[in-house]
Every structure is written in C-alpha cells, then in structure tokens.
C-alpha cells in the first residue's frame, strides 16, 4: 500500500499570499496518477488537479500541481477568501487508492 | 447532469450489518466503475473500495480495513451500486460517499461525489 504524507498539517496564510502544499509518497506513484481535492465543512470534496498537473473542469488557473515519482506539490498562486479549506492528495495508480491525511489551509 | 444519491445510512449496533445504496443518473452507469470513500467524524478521507464495470469483469478491490467484511456490488439495470457492510465496528462510523470511478478498469481521480450518508456504529 502506498502511504501518502501531506505537509504541513496546517498552513496559516493571508489572502493574496502564495500557498505551497506537499504530498510525499512511500513508493513511486505510477504514471503520476495523483489528484488533489479541496473540501469545505459539510461538503463533499471537489476535484482540483488530476494526473499530478492537469486542472479539472472549472478550476481557476491560480491552482497548479506539479511533481512526479514520490514528491508532489499543489500551489495556489494568490489566495482568495474561498480557498481556505482542507486539501487532500490521492494516488490512483496502485490499489488501494490511498489518500493523504490532509492539509488545513487557514486564514492568518 | 451527473448525480449520485446515497441512502441507507443510520444507527446500527456493533456486529450488525447495513447496506448502503447509491442511485446514479446523468451518465451511462454500466460503463463506469463505482467506488466508495468514507470519512470518520473530524477525520480525513479513506478509500473503501470499488467495483469495475462489466466490461472489465465487474471485479472488486477493497481497503485492508474492510476486506472480508464489506462487499460492493452493482445492478446496472437500475443504475445502483451497493455497499454491504457486515460485522460492523465502532471505527466504521463515518460519512460514506459514493463516487464515480473510471471508464476503464484502472483507478481514476474522483470527479463526481454523492452528498454522503452517515453510518453510526454504536451500542
């Protein structure tokens, strides 16, 4: 099983700042099959990024993903008030398709 | 518009069983794998398992934490996926999300989620 470790657990930033979230895998993620999701309280997660760097439909271009192998990054270039939420990475290259434990992005 | 609607959640005693249903619409159900993801209160997301489409054998895969206790099945004629949960434990308490899987036999990012149904395992 591939274990995904997200860092930091909590990130405190202000609107307008740049956010960098990390996701490390215990083994190489095949074909960069890694996704990022955003979740707000009481709601289902929303797909942001798939295949490590492709934006999902309707996702603003301030969200970008990068990485390969065991190290992946989600970058939010300029934080908007609606971006403060919990973010999860997930690998879907090797079953079981595990999630990271999440990074909470909070307003400073 | 793709819609996934879960039902069947509720309060159940440890050791008992419960079956969740996921009714799908807005896409050709039989062409896609269907999967389940859960989230314990205040915790992160946990992938539970999935069932491939008939084109890929309709086979299933599960997380180690539920293997042997949970079974995923599907009725393509009704566009419904099921999660049969047996020998429930208190640690199975969670919101269970139904999600659309891959058009192919492999894994995929989750582009559609249901609203979730809460399962509480308690005596």
């Amino acid at each position: 099983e591939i274990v995904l470790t997200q860092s930091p657990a909590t990130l405190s930033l202000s609107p307008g700042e740049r956010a960098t979230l990390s996701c490390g895998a215990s083994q190489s993620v095949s074909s960069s099959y890694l996704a990022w999701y955003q979740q707000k309280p009481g709601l289902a997660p929303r797909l942001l990024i798939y295949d490590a760097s492709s934006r999902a439909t309707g996702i603003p271009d301030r969200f970008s993903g990068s990485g390969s192998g065991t190290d992946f990054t989600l970058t939010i270039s300029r934080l908007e008030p609606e971006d403060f939420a919990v973010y999860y990475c997930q690998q879907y290259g090797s079953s079981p398709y595990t999630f990271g434990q999440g990074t909470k992005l909070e307003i400073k | 518009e793709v819609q996934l609607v879960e039902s069947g959640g509720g309060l159940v005693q440890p050791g008992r069983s419960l079956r969740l249903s996921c009714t799908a619409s807005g896409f050709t159900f039989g062409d896609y794998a269907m999967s389940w993801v859960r989230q314990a209160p205040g915790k992160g997301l946990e992938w539970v398992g999935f069932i491939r489409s008939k084109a890929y054998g309709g086979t299933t895969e599960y997380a180690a934490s539920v293997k042997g206790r949970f079974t995923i099945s599907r009725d393509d004629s009704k566009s419904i996926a099921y999660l049969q949960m047996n020998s429930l434990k208190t640690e199975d308490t969670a919101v269970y999300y139904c999600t659309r899987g891959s058009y192919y036999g492999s894994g995929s990012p989750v582009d559609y989620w249901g609203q979730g149904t809460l399962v509480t395992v308690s005596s």
Side-chain angles (χ1 to χ4, degrees):
Chain A
E1 171 177 323
I2 296 178
V3 176
L4 299 181
T5 302
Q6 292 186 240
S7 61
T10 303
L11 185 58
S12 300
L13 293 171
S14 300
E17 290 193 293
R18 180 185 185 90
T20 303
L21 288 67
S22 296
C23 176
S26 60
Q27 309 168 37
S28 183
V29 176
S30 89
S31 304
S32 293
Y33 284 158
L34 187 112
W36 290 93
Y37 303 89
Q38 176 193 70
Q39 188 179 32
K40 296 181 178 178
L43 297 179
R46 176 174 72 142
L47 177 65
L48 300 175
I49 301 288
Y50 64 96
D51 293 352
S53 60
S54 298
R55 265 189 303 277
T57 303
I59 301 303
D61 60 8
R62 65 179 182 274
F63 291 91
S64 64
S66 63
S68 63
T70 60
D71 294 300
F72 299 88
T73 301
L74 174 70
T75 301
I76 311 172
S77 58
R78 285 181 54 88
L79 286 165
E80 298 287 343
E82 62 267 27
D83 298 337
F84 292 91
V86 179
Y87 292 82
Y88 295 94
C89 58
Q90 182 204 19
Q91 66 81 22
Y92 48 94
S94 173
S95 178
Y97 302 131
T98 46
F99 288 89
Q101 83 281 13
T103 290
K104 182 179 181 180
L105 179 55
E106 64 177 25
I107 299 176
K108 187 173 182 179
Chain B
E1 178 193 6
V2 172
Q3 286 196 318
L4 302 170
V5 179
E6 302 95 338
S7 58
L11 175 63
V12 61
Q13 293 179 326
R16 303 298 292 264
S17 298
L18 198 65
R19 188 178 79 164
L20 305 182
S21 299
C22 170
T23 302
S25 61
F27 64 100
T28 305
F29 181 80
D31 286 349
Y32 288 83
M34 296 298 295
S35 62
W36 292 88
V37 175
R38 69 183 180 181
Q39 186 169 36
K43 303 297 184 183
L45 302 170
E46 181 184 14
W47 181 82
V48 172
F50 82 124
I51 184 166
R52 295 179 176 86
S53 66
K54 292 290 194 296
Y56 288 90
T59 52
T60 53
E61 298 194 27
Y62 300 96
S65 58
V66 305
K67 196 170 185 179
R69 299 188 299 124
F70 288 13
T71 301
I72 299 173
S73 59
R74 62 191 300 153
D75 185 336
D76 290 351
S77 68
K78 297 181 179 178
S79 296
I80 299 177
Y82 299 100
L83 178 63
Q84 176 69 44
M85 303 182 292
N86 298 332
S87 303
L88 282 161
K89 306 175 181 180
T90 55
E91 53 264 39
D92 294 319
T93 294
V95 172
Y96 285 75
Y97 293 102
C98 170
T99 71
R100 191 177 78 166
S102 173
Y103 184 82
Y104 304 100
S106 56
S108 69
V110 179
D111 51 358
Y112 292 100
W113 301 70
Q115 84 285 356
T117 187
L118 177 62
V119 172
T120 303
V121 184
S122 174
S123 54

